[in-house]
Amino acid sequence: MSFAELHHTGKPLLLPNAWDHASAAVLVAEGFPAIGTTSLGVAAAAGLPDGTGATRDETVALARRLTRLPCYLTVDIEGGFADDPAEVAALGAELAALGVAGVNIEDGRDNGRLADPAHQQELIAALKAAAPGLFVNARTDTHWLATGEDPVARVRAYQEAGADGVFVPGQPDETSIAAVVAAADVPVNVLFSPSGPPLDRLGELGVRRISCGSLLFRAALEAVARTAGAVATGGEIPPVPAYADVQALSSPGTAAAPPPPGSPAAPR
């Protein structure tokens, strides 16, 4: 089953997002057939701000490591790390040559602004021309940046430019999600929210892909602080992987084992 076909199995593709090799490898070991990267996690791990185009090198380096894993990889490239369509196209071609299956490109820019939709169309078209097999997930941040703009016009513009999927994070309710699904001719991606609809309900609304975004990275930071606090205060230490288990994630051949039969994360 191809990466694109994972969006058409009858159930939404749950896409967990990693920020380094270990976090991706443990997700593969859990049976997830596709992994995304989180730009916040990649940036924060490097001591850099997210969403400012500062992590192109770190993003490519991470993609080079993660494409060794037996899963499909889609990479968050923020706004493309450049305004020049030729530079964005070159990045797409470089990632595709590494074995990356898809990219996520957003129209949100620093200072809380949105890119001109016509220019964003140029970036999307450039990516598809340079790497036709790359699954381009076009994200619009109308809700994320609280601009008040209806995302439907941008969703339609981006799919017309060649986007294989569209992503509207931060939608406030089921009505908004359903409106985007109705307007799109390509798979719709939403960002999972603990306070939002569960996965089954999102599937009923027609959502085809559900991203975890930076949730896992932020949860890991919370676990670090909580565990260190427990050590300091004599509190209970939550269960953690053994040293050997973590070593195994980087051992040749170990991470490449197929998902366990019947794994809930295995392709369906």
Side-chain angles (χ1 to χ4, degrees), residues 221-234:
L221 293 182
E222 194 278 334
V224 168
R226 176 164 36 88
T227 304
V231 172
T233 61

Side-chain angles (χ1 to χ4, degrees), residues 21 28 33 85 197 248:
H21 184 275
V28 172

Side-chain angles (χ1 to χ4, degrees), residues 24 34 64 67 81-82 87 156:
R64 184 174 290 108
T67 49
F81 299 119
E87 292 184 40
R156 288 175 173 161

Side-chain angles (χ1 to χ4, degrees), residues 8-235:
H8 300 281
T9 65
K11 294 184 178 181
L13 168 63
L14 177 58
L15 189 75
N17 300 78
W19 58 94
D20 61 10
H21 184 275
S23 58
V26 76
L27 291 167
V28 172
E30 287 295 311
F32 287 94
I35 307 295
T37 64
T38 160
S39 65
L40 175 63
V42 174
L48 295 168
D50 182 31
T52 62
T55 57
R56 185 192 191 282
D57 292 345
E58 288 79 5
T59 297
V60 173
L62 178 59
R64 184 174 290 108
R65 289 192 293 273
L66 298 193
T67 49
R68 303 198 309 262
L69 293 170
C71 67
Y72 291 113
L73 176 67
T74 180
V75 174
D76 188 336
I77 59 171
E78 297 185 10
F81 299 119
D83 288 327
D84 182 356
E87 292 184 40
V88 176
L91 173 61
E94 181 178 4
L95 292 172
L98 292 175
V100 170
V103 295
N104 187 81
I105 184 168
E106 63 201 45
D107 61 9
R109 299 293 185 265
D110 53 2
N111 300 321
R113 60 189 178 88
L114 290 171
D116 176 76
H119 181 65
Q120 197 70 7
Q121 283 183 299
E122 292 180 13
L123 301 184
I124 293 166
L127 279 169
K128 291 302 296 182
L134 202 63
F135 189 103
V136 175
N137 198 43
R139 169 177 145 179
T140 181
D141 287 342
T142 51
H143 287 301
W144 202 243
L145 297 177
T147 64
E149 181 180 338
D150 188 329
V152 166
R154 287 179 179 264
V155 162
R156 288 175 173 161
Y158 299 163
Q159 68 180 23
E160 288 172 4
D164 301 286
V166 291
F167 184 16
V168 189
Q171 294 178 90
D173 51 47
E174 292 187 4
T175 300
S176 175
I177 294 170
V180 170
V181 170
D185 296 324
V186 294
V188 172
N189 184 184
V190 301
L191 183 68
F192 174 76
S193 170
S195 61
L199 269 63
D200 287 348
R201 178 56 183 156
L202 289 170
E204 292 171 356
L205 292 171
V207 171
R208 298 271 48 99
R209 171 163 146 181
I210 302 168
S211 297
C212 293
S214 64
L215 176 63
L216 303 183
F217 176 71
R218 290 181 285 115
L221 293 182
E222 194 278 334
V224 168
R226 176 164 36 88
T227 304
V231 172
T233 61

